[in-house]
Amino acid sequence: MISIHEAIDTVIGAVRPLPAEEIPLLAALGRATAAEIVSPDDVPSFDNSAMDGYAVRGAELEAGRREFRVVVDIPAGRWVGDQVGAGEAAKIMTGAPLPPGVDTVVQVEYTEQRGETLVVREPVQPGANVRRAAEDVAVGDVLFPRGTRLGPAEIGLLASVSCQEVAVARRPRVAILATGSELRLPGAPLAPGQIRNSNSFTAYGQVLAAGGEPVLLGIARDDLDETRRLLADGLEHDVVITSGGVSVGEFDFVKQVQDELGVERHFWGVATKPGKPLAFGTRGDTLVFGVPGNPVAAMVSFEMYVRPALLALQGRSDLYRPYVFAAAEEPVQRSRGRTEARRCRLLHRGRSLGFTTTGPQGSGILRSMALADGLAFVPPEFPGAEAGAEFMVMMLEGSATERPPFPGGPVAPAVNS
Ligand code: AMP
Ligand code: MG
């Protein structure tokens, strides 16, 4: 068995980033830039008022002038040209363009207007309350490096420089195959001993949330031919995830079928609980994950190895989940030979963080996963501890560049390179 860090390094080392495609700006939400984006425009593109008020010449204020003749009104979007001369002011609204020569806005609260006469009541610095052309972005600025996830702010920034299409990495196509003769879809009648296929559903959501395109291949019964046929379909995708059938039981065909179909195995077995019998291989550029069948083990394996791979395929550099250190709110049970990921929920303790586990930690108990917002990592051979002991907690939302310091194995470089 290898350590978590070795497993992650192996997976990320096997990733060949996907090619780019140009798509409309709104469709690019959640996607990753395929190249550095350089701004074709200045933002803002002209000097404009940051306040509702009066636009005047700063030098005149500085020279002690307090009264101006108001000669024009400037709402947002109106260009009045060269209308404001010496000793004059324009009534101006937020966002409206400053006329030539006028460089200062006195906020309305500092003024009084009597007829055409503006009286400035408070001192104002020359240049105040003006948003300068290009102060946010200048032509030629790098807006985003390659591999940046485009969220709402990024999409808005691209709109503000008139970008209509954006080059993003293609979404990885991810085949999802459940294995097990006992599995039935929700709604199908259950014979004694049969259970619901939940792994296809959790994996579908996890793939989508990581920017991938899930493709459900259904359920392979524990039958060599059926497993072979469906896995062969899966291998036509960028990534294939099978769940179950990967331990040492009599009907655990997945590894055998991977071998038959020419999948090169990079590892089988990671020293973690849950998630030990994880098989990872490649065929050509296709990444092949055999995750354990137990629902929590399947989800945790996805979080730890599949998700970073899907992000790396999209050229992202923030492959990992954010992490914190938090104090156990309850006594911590010992661990055996493997690093344990315990489902937990964080809570605030003043300026510090605490965590409680979310119930029984059996690797089939999906409910405690649904209640969790993090995974607390307990090192191997941990003797147990009283409440108050600190552990690294990997969050189950968000993205970060730095890899969490997983216990139990060669310490990998702290920052993904
Ligand atoms: P396996 O690794 O195939 O032995 O599966 C381990 C456990 O996970 C067994 O109890 C299976 O019934 C269960 N399991 C396997 N696949 C799924 C699935 N798709 N959904 C829910 N439970 C599953
Ligand atoms: Mg099975």
Side-chain angles (χ1 to χ4, degrees):
M1 281 192 294
I2 61 175
S3 71
I4 296 172
H5 289 289
E6 289 170 310
I8 294 174
D9 283 339
T10 305
V11 168
I12 299 305
V15 168
R16 303 282 160 269
L18 295 170
E21 59 186 7
E22 288 263 334
I23 60 171
L25 182 58
L26 278 178
L29 187 69
R31 304 287 293 272
T33 55
E36 179 177 276
I37 296 186
V38 172
S39 180
D41 263 343
D42 289 335
V43 183
S45 58
F46 51 87
D47 292 351
N48 67 86
S49 178
M51 294 273 187
D52 294 337
Y54 294 88
V56 299
R57 288 159 199 273
E60 294 184 338
L61 279 177
E62 206 165 34
R65 179 186 280 277
R66 288 294 173 266
E67 295 197 2
F68 298 81
R69 196 164 74 89
V70 180
V71 294
V72 65
D73 248 30
I74 317 178
R78 175 149 168 235
W79 177 247
V80 299
D82 211 353
Q83 285 194 35
V84 182
E88 295 179 337
K91 190 160 194 218
I92 195 165
M93 302 298 132
T94 303
L98 266 78
V102 172
D103 59 4
T104 303
V105 173
V106 183
Q107 52 267 59
V108 74
E109 297 86 341
Y110 289 9
T111 65
E112 208 175 291
Q113 191 178 344
R114 297 191 210 118
E116 283 191 345
T117 304
L118 164 75
V119 182
V120 176
R121 292 275 174 224
E122 309 271 344
V124 174
Q125 287 298 313
N129 303 317
V130 172
R131 301 190 282 221
R132 294 267 163 222
E135 114 185 340
D136 187 2
V137 175
V139 170
D141 279 358
V142 173
L143 288 180
F144 314 116
R146 176 175 180 276
T148 303
R149 178 181 186 276
L150 299 172
E154 288 81 4
I155 296 286
L157 190 53
L158 289 170
S160 73
V161 296
S162 192
C163 177
Q164 290 173 281
E165 299 234 304
V166 50
V168 295
R170 182 163 71 65
R171 295 172 69 190
R173 299 184 63 238
V174 184
I176 297 167
L177 177 62
T179 74
S181 298
E182 74 280 25
L183 302 176
R184 289 290 177 277
L185 283 175
L190 285 187
Q194 295 182 332
I195 63 165
R196 301 292 174 199
N197 168 17
S198 59
N199 289 349
S200 295
F201 292 79
T202 50
Y204 188 96
Q206 289 182 303
V207 168
L208 211 54
E213 199 177 294
V215 179
L216 291 173
L217 297 185
I219 299 165
R221 281 168 297 169
D222 293 319
D223 168 277
L224 258 181
D225 287 339
E226 186 161 305
T227 308
R228 196 182 294 116
R229 182 169 59 76
L230 286 165
L231 186 60
D233 274 2
L235 289 168
E236 301 304 314
H237 298 74
D238 300 310
V239 178
V240 48
I241 307 169
T242 59
S243 69
V246 80
S247 2
V248 289
E250 208 169 324
F251 295 103
D252 291 334
F253 294 134
V254 166
K255 287 202 307 70
Q256 178 185 339
V257 170
Q258 286 181 355
D259 293 343
E260 287 175 20
L261 293 172
V263 174
E264 182 194 343
R265 175 142 329 104
H266 297 288
F267 62 81
W268 177 55
V270 186
T272 51
K273 184 183 170 183
K276 178 174 81 161
L278 172 73
F280 171 69
T282 50
R283 194 182 76 173
D285 284 346
T286 299
L287 308 177
V288 186
F289 293 92
V291 302
N294 272 309
V296 175
M299 284 196 82
V300 169
S301 301
F302 186 101
E303 273 292 327
M304 304 285 297
Y305 313 105
V306 187
R307 181 178 177 277
L310 297 188
L311 299 184
L313 281 166
Q314 297 167 79
R316 295 259 298 262
S317 49
D318 52 341
L319 305 182
Y320 303 107
R321 292 297 196 188
Y323 68 90
V324 294
F325 283 88
E329 292 274 312
E330 63 222 8
V332 179
Q333 310 262 304
R334 60 173 296 186
S335 68
R336 311 264 169 181
R338 291 179 275 154
T339 299
E340 293 192 16
R342 297 188 184 160
R343 284 143 263 167
C344 70
R345 214 170 166 82
L346 288 168
L347 43 92
H348 291 283
R349 284 285 176 226
R351 287 162 183 254
S352 314
L353 288 170
F355 72 88
T356 53
T357 49
T358 54
Q361 298 286 315
S363 56
I365 301 174
L366 202 47
R367 185 142 188 236
S368 55
M369 192 71 187
L371 294 170
D373 57 14
L375 297 173
F377 281 83
V378 177
E381 311 297 358
F382 184 73
E386 292 306 311
E390 282 214 329
F391 294 87
M392 190 275 284
V393 176
M394 181 182 102
M395 309 304 301
L396 291 169
E397 291 285 348
S399 285
T401 306
E402 190 179 329
R403 182 186 298 180
F406 298 108
V411 177
V415 175
N416 168 57
S417 49

